[in-house]
């Protein structure tokens, strides 16, 4: 299973979501590969900051040939997660064509909702060639007890892509864990952040059935 985490808008938390999803899949017993397709290399930086044994493999592949190489690269892995860059359209197209499922992290702000149009257009282009491609929004960096946090799912209904019920709240533990090269589940297995990531993983599994 190949999951692309994409949004043409920057700063929506693609790397944080990718890393923490990979960690839960790995903790569940799966063999996981995280592909850092962002020229900035944030996931590679995260892996380099880690002192413990790796939970999963991380490689850098910031080039628009992912879809051509993915069958070879993915051999032996149960899940491959592609952390994609913003604004690099050829690379984004390649990541989409390589994926079975596209997760679109979106922050609860009008700007993010409007900007989602760009990635939806790329997905619709890919559907011409890859009719079984699935996609879904994941509300990320939600601020608790705000109207926009509650209303964002309704606002996203203008698109033909469903939104997951599970969402991720903005929490300090995400930054604290990243600085140590760890996932939130390693910092605190019982934290609300870990529960939210697990809920997204559960919904991915249900969505793919």
């Amino acid at each position: 299973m190949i999951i692309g985490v994409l949004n043409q808008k920057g700063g929506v938390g693609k790397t944080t979501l990718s890393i923490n999803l990979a960690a839960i899949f790995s903790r569940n017993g799966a063999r996981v590969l995280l592909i850092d397709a962002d020229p900035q290399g944030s996931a590679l930086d995260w892996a380099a900051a880690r002192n413990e044994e790796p939970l999963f493999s991380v490689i850098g592949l910031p080039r628009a040939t992912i879809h051509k190489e993915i069958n070879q690269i993915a051999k032996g892995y149960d899940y491959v997660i592609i952390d994609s860059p913003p604004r690099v359209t050829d690379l984004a197209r390649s990541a989409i064509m390589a994926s079975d499922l596209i997760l679109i992290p979106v922050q609860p702000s009008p700007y993010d909702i409007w900007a989602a149009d760009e990635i939806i257009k790329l997905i619709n282009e890919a559907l011409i060639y890859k009719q079984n491609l699935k996609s879904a929004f994941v509300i990320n960096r939600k601020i608790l007890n705000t109207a926009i946090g509650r209303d964002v799912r309704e606002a996203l209904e203008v698109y033909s892509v469903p939104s997951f019920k599970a969402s991720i709240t903005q929490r300090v533990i995400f930054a604290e864990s990243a600085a140590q090269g760890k996932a939130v589940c390693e910092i605190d297995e019982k934290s609300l952040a870990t529960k939210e990531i697990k809920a997204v993983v559960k919904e991915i599994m249900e969505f793919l059935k």
Side-chain angles (χ1 to χ4, degrees):
M1 176 56 55
I2 300 160
I3 301 170
V5 181
L6 289 104
N7 193 323
Q8 294 300 87
K9 187 178 185 300
V12 296
K14 290 186 294 291
T15 301
T16 299
L17 183 62
S18 298
I19 287 167
N20 284 285
L21 289 176
I24 295 298
F25 280 123
S26 180
R27 283 276 184 104
N28 288 346
R31 188 150 185 255
V32 182
L33 171 65
L34 175 59
I35 296 176
D36 189 342
D38 190 336
Q40 287 189 350
S42 298
L44 288 171
D45 290 341
W46 172 86
R50 186 177 180 85
N51 293 319
E52 291 79 4
E53 286 293 309
L55 273 177
F56 49 84
S57 302
V58 183
I59 64 166
L61 194 65
R63 54 181 186 257
T65 54
I66 300 170
H67 63 295
K68 296 177 181 178
E69 301 177 58
I70 195 67
N71 287 340
Q72 189 64 34
I73 293 167
K75 279 183 180 175
Y77 291 100
D78 302 303
Y79 291 93
V80 177
I81 297 177
I82 305 172
D83 178 22
S84 300
R87 302 277 176 217
V88 187
T89 306
D90 287 345
L91 221 168
R93 282 196 178 100
S94 181
I96 290 168
M97 290 303 295
S99 300
D100 301 306
L101 167 66
I102 303 297
L103 293 182
I104 310 163
V106 59
Q107 293 183 115
S109 85
Y111 303 108
D112 285 63
I113 293 161
W114 299 329
D117 184 63
E118 203 170 344
I119 188 66
I120 298 301
K121 284 177 179 174
L122 291 180
I123 291 169
N124 287 337
E125 283 178 18
L127 281 168
I128 297 168
Y129 308 99
K130 197 167 185 177
Q131 295 176 355
N132 293 328
L133 179 66
K134 293 189 174 185
S135 56
F137 287 111
V138 178
I139 297 162
N140 200 29
R141 293 184 169 173
K142 185 175 74 173
I143 299 170
L144 282 176
N145 303 318
T146 58
I148 188 67
R150 291 190 297 270
D151 298 343
V152 63
R153 195 171 280 107
E154 184 178 330
L156 289 169
E157 288 176 3
V158 297
Y159 300 109
S160 58
V161 171
S163 299
F164 276 7
K165 292 177 184 176
S167 58
I168 310 296
T169 305
Q170 187 164 304
R171 301 183 192 278
V172 173
I173 191 172
F174 285 110
E176 290 175 342
S177 60
Q180 300 173 51
K182 291 184 178 181
V184 291
C185 62
E186 295 178 280
I187 300 289
D188 186 351
E189 182 70 38
K190 296 181 179 178
S191 69
L192 290 173
T194 300
K195 289 177 182 176
E196 288 175 350
I197 294 290
K198 285 182 174 179
V200 173
V201 167
K202 183 181 178 185
E203 197 159 354
I204 288 170
M205 304 304 293
E206 291 169 352
F207 189 66
L208 292 173
K209 284 180 181 176

